[in-house]
Amino acid sequence: MRKLYLVRHGQTLFNLRGKTQGWCDSPLTELGIKQAEITRSFFTDNNIKIEELYSSTSERAIDTANIISDLEVKPRKGLKEWNFGKMEGTFKRYQDMRGK
């Protein structure tokens, strides 16, 4: 029986800075790379063989997938995060203040 594992990308620069990102892309941080390496170890340590690897088209997701497995990543536009329009790249704290 096949199983589906869903993995979120590692921490990005925008995550670290508290900025909103959907379609905007920002690179993985050192922690984000480490998180992906830990995920790879989880699969290896638990003898989980990845047969197919899909990702959104965002660089952060593809980079995470490439760290997790040596398989070719199959990017899919349908897996991309929401587009937050004018809120992309803004600070989440600012958004919270505007809503009050």
Side-chain angles (χ1 to χ4, degrees):
M1 177 171 70
R2 291 182 124 187
K3 291 185 178 181
L4 174 67
Y5 294 89
L6 300 175
V7 177
R8 186 175 187 269
H9 60 78
Q11 182 192 60
T12 66
L13 188 59
F14 273 22
N15 296 145
L16 183 64
R17 293 183 176 170
K19 291 186 173 187
T20 300
Q21 70 181 356
W23 282 17
C24 281
D25 218 349
S26 64
L28 295 176
T29 61
E30 287 183 34
L31 175 60
I33 292 168
K34 180 69 175 166
Q35 290 168 331
E37 290 168 347
I38 290 168
T39 303
R40 181 183 182 113
S41 294
F42 170 82
F43 286 115
T44 302
D45 295 348
N46 290 283
N47 296 316
I48 299 169
K49 184 177 186 259
I50 299 173
E51 296 177 15
E52 294 183 78
L53 191 59
Y54 295 90
S55 168
S56 80
T57 55
S58 70
E59 180 181 348
R60 62 187 181 263
I62 292 171
D63 288 349
T64 300
N66 280 324
I67 294 168
I68 291 172
S69 174
D70 295 327
L71 289 176
E72 178 183 350
V73 179
K74 300 174 183 179
R76 297 292 187 263
K77 289 180 185 177
L79 295 175
K80 199 165 185 177
E81 291 191 46
W82 290 1
N83 182 339
F84 294 103
K86 292 180 181 180
M87 301 306 282
E88 294 271 338
T90 63
F91 289 99
K92 292 178 184 178
R93 286 182 308 192
Y94 173 71
Q95 294 170 25
D96 292 342
M97 291 181 342
R98 288 187 64 190
K100 292 182 180 180

